[in-house]
């Protein structure tokens, strides 16, 4: 909008003309918001609120009379309050670069005064104390011109060619160098020990690696040997199984052939032999029956013939007594005994004939001999204690 002005975030807008500012200031201060400004009747200027920097390089003399060159950097800015903006605007609005020049001069004077009350050792070892004292002594003056200091950094302290600081630091340098050498020696020793330990570890690792490699190679060789033997072993095993199978097949074939022979030859032969044996037994039984029947028939016929011939046999036997010398010892009883003896002899002859016929009919047992003997004795009653005996000569 025409006549409406807005300051930047790091600026303060100073409006002059019209009403006076706070505390009787010749301008009004606007920060953080816009303002409508009448053209021609009002004039607007802007004061920076940004951080500024001033460098100081000042030669100072210490309490010991040692000349030092001190370099410092001051970070400052215009204060945020209206009073600080008014103070700074009244002094630096037309030439804002003068803020850095003036700030450097102020801090240079304070540095000279403070360093003059300190020794070199204090300045070197207590830089922060030096910076704090400079800030405290310059704070009031800086506030009067509307500036605030954020930080003061002592960059360097140089004694030129005097060599005081170097001499002061020599013992420390020697001690530090000694410590450094000791530390270096210790580090070197530790490094050597570490290298030796690393070498031992590496040798041990190589030894273990060699052992593992040897075991691995041995395992590989055993596996290769086993694999190389696996083929022949498998082939031999297969051949063994084939031979076993062939043997089993041959045994089964032999058993089958044996069974076939038994079925085809032995069983028929046994059956034929059994048939022949049964036929022979039957034939023998038949012949035995026929023989027994024939023998029975013959014995009956012979008995009949013997019985028919018995009177003739007795007659012939008695006829044989005609020329014999017969002594009768006991009279009639003796004659009876003679007659009975003749009849007994006939019967004995008859029994002998029957036995001979039976022996002839019986199976031949290797002795085909037969004997016939007839002996007859007759005893009659012993009437009066007398005995009778017939002797035939």
């Amino acid at each position: 909008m025409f006549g409406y002005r807005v300051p930047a975030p790091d600026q303060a807008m100073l409006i002059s003309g019209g009403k006076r500012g706070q505390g009787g200031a010749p301008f009004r201060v606007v920060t953080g918001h816009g303002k409508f400004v009448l053209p021609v009747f009002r004039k607007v200027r802007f004061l920076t609120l940004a951080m500024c920097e001033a460098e100081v390089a000042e030669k100072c003399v210490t309490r010991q009379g040692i000349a030092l060159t001190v370099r410092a950097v001051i970070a400052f800015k215009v204060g945020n309050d209206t009073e600080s903006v008014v103070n700074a605007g009244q002094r630096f609005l037309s030439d804002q670069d003068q803020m850095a020049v003036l700030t450097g001069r102020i801090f240079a004077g304070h540095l000279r005064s403070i360093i003059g009350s300190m020794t070199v050792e204090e300045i070197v070892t207590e830089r922060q104390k030096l910076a704090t004292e400079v800030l405290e002594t310059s704070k009031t003056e800086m506030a009067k011109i509307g500036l605030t200091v954020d930080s003061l950094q002592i960059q360097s302290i140089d004694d030129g060619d005097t060599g005081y600081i170097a001499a002061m630091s020599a013992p420390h340098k020697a001690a530090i160098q000694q410590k450094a050498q000791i530390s270096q020696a210790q580090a070197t020793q530790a490094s050597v020990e570490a290298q030796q330990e690393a070498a031992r570890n590496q040798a041990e690792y190589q030894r273990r690696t060699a052992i593992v490699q040897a075991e691995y190679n041995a395992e590989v060789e055993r596996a290769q040997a086993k694999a190389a033997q696996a083929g022949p072993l498998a082939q031999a095993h297969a051949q063994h199984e084939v031979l076993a199978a062939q043997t089993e097949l041959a045994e089964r074939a032999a058993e089958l052939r044996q069974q076939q022979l038994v079925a085809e030859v032995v069983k028929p032969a046994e059956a034929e032999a059994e048939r022949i044996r049964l036929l022979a037994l039957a034939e023998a039984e038949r012949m035995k029956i026929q023989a027994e029947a024939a023998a029975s028939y013959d014995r009956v016929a012979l008995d009949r013939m013997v019985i028919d011939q018995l009177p003739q046999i007795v007659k012939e036997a008695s006829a044989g007594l005609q020329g014999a010398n017969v002594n009768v010892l006991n009279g009639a009883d003796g004659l009876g005994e003679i007659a009975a003896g003749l009849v007994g002899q006939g019967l004995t002859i008859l029994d002998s004939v029957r036995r001979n016929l039976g022996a002839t009919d019986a199976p031949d047992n290797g002795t085909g001999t037969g004997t016939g003997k007839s002996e007859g004795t007759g005893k009659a009653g012993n009437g009066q204690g007398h005995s009778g005996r017939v002797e035939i000569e």
Side-chain angles (χ1 to χ4, degrees), residues 236-287:
H237 184 68
Q239 291 178 355
H240 178 72
E241 291 183 352
V242 170
L243 291 176
Q246 291 178 352
T247 302
E248 185 178 359
L249 182 61
E251 291 177 354
R252 291 183 179 179
E255 292 177 357
L256 181 61
R257 182 58 183 168
Q258 183 178 3
Q259 293 176 359
Q260 290 178 351
L261 290 175
V262 169
E264 295 177 356
V265 177
V266 176
K267 294 298 182 180
E270 290 179 353
E272 182 65 20
E274 183 67 17
R275 186 183 67 82
I276 292 172
R277 186 180 68 81
L278 293 176
L279 291 176
L281 290 175
E283 182 66 20
E285 187 68 20
R286 185 183 65 80
M287 293 177 66

Side-chain angles (χ1 to χ4, degrees), residues 55-60 70 72 74 101-115 134 138 152:
E55 293 183 359
V56 176
E58 190 68 22
K59 287 185 178 181
C60 305
V70 180
I74 304 100
V101 176
L102 182 59
T103 300
R105 290 174 181 175
I106 293 172
F107 274 88
H110 288 290
L111 277 173
R112 284 194 302 268
S113 63
I114 293 173
I115 288 175
V134 172
S138 62
L152 170 64

Side-chain angles (χ1 to χ4, degrees), residues 49 53 127 204 236 238 346 366 370:
L49 301 179
E53 180 181 298
R127 290 190 180 186
E204 180 66 18

Side-chain angles (χ1 to χ4, degrees), residues 5-145:
R5 307 295 295 271
V6 179
D10 59 347
Q11 289 179 340
M13 186 172 62
L14 306 180
I15 304 172
S16 60
K19 294 180 180 180
R20 299 181 67 87
Q22 182 180 0
F27 49 81
R28 288 176 294 170
V29 178
V30 178
T31 58
H33 59 86
K35 193 76 172 176
F36 182 78
V37 179
L38 293 174
V40 180
F41 299 100
R42 302 290 188 268
K43 188 174 182 178
V44 176
R45 301 286 297 272
F46 294 94
L47 178 66
T48 181
L49 301 179
M51 181 66 65
C52 298
E53 180 181 298
E55 293 183 359
V56 176
E58 190 68 22
K59 287 185 178 181
C60 305
V61 179
T62 66
R63 188 176 60 185
Q64 299 162 319
I66 306 299
L68 300 177
T69 301
V70 180
R71 289 181 174 84
V73 176
I74 304 100
F76 66 96
K77 65 180 292 294
V78 177
N80 294 326
D81 58 290
T82 304
E83 183 179 358
S84 296
V85 173
V86 171
N87 292 333
Q90 289 177 343
R91 291 170 176 82
F92 306 108
L93 185 58
S94 58
D95 188 4
Q96 298 185 27
D97 293 335
Q98 288 297 318
M99 288 189 296
V101 176
L102 182 59
T103 300
R105 290 174 181 175
I106 293 172
F107 274 88
H110 288 290
L111 277 173
R112 284 194 302 268
S113 63
I114 293 173
I115 288 175
S117 63
M118 298 176 65
T119 62
V120 177
E121 289 79 5
E122 292 175 347
I123 295 170
V124 172
T125 58
E126 299 179 4
R127 290 190 180 186
Q128 186 60 40
K129 178 182 177 182
L130 173 61
T132 302
E133 290 183 1
V134 172
L135 287 174
E136 291 295 330
T137 57
S138 62
K139 183 183 295 184
T140 303
E141 295 182 10
M142 295 293 290
K144 289 179 180 180
I145 61 177

Side-chain angles (χ1 to χ4, degrees), residues 227-347:
Q229 294 176 358
L233 288 176
Q235 185 176 3
H237 184 68
Q239 291 178 355
H240 178 72
E241 291 183 352
V242 170
L243 291 176
Q246 291 178 352
T247 302
E248 185 178 359
L249 182 61
E251 291 177 354
R252 291 183 179 179
E255 292 177 357
L256 181 61
R257 182 58 183 168
Q258 183 178 3
Q259 293 176 359
Q260 290 178 351
L261 290 175
V262 169
E264 295 177 356
V265 177
V266 176
K267 294 298 182 180
E270 290 179 353
E272 182 65 20
E274 183 67 17
R275 186 183 67 82
I276 292 172
R277 186 180 68 81
L278 293 176
L279 291 176
L281 290 175
E283 182 66 20
E285 187 68 20
R286 185 183 65 80
M287 293 177 66
K288 179 180 178 182
I289 293 172
Q290 289 179 355
E292 289 178 353
S296 177
Y297 177 77
D298 291 340
R299 282 196 299 271
V300 172
L302 180 60
D303 290 342
R304 184 176 296 278
M305 181 183 68
V306 170
I307 292 171
D308 292 341
Q309 296 296 326
L310 183 58
Q312 185 64 30
I313 293 172
V314 174
K315 182 180 179 180
E316 292 296 330
S318 62
L321 295 176
Q322 293 179 3
N325 185 12
V326 178
N327 294 319
V328 178
L329 298 179
N330 51 359
D333 293 333
L335 291 176
E337 290 178 356
I338 292 172
L342 291 176
V343 175
Q345 289 180 358
L347 294 175

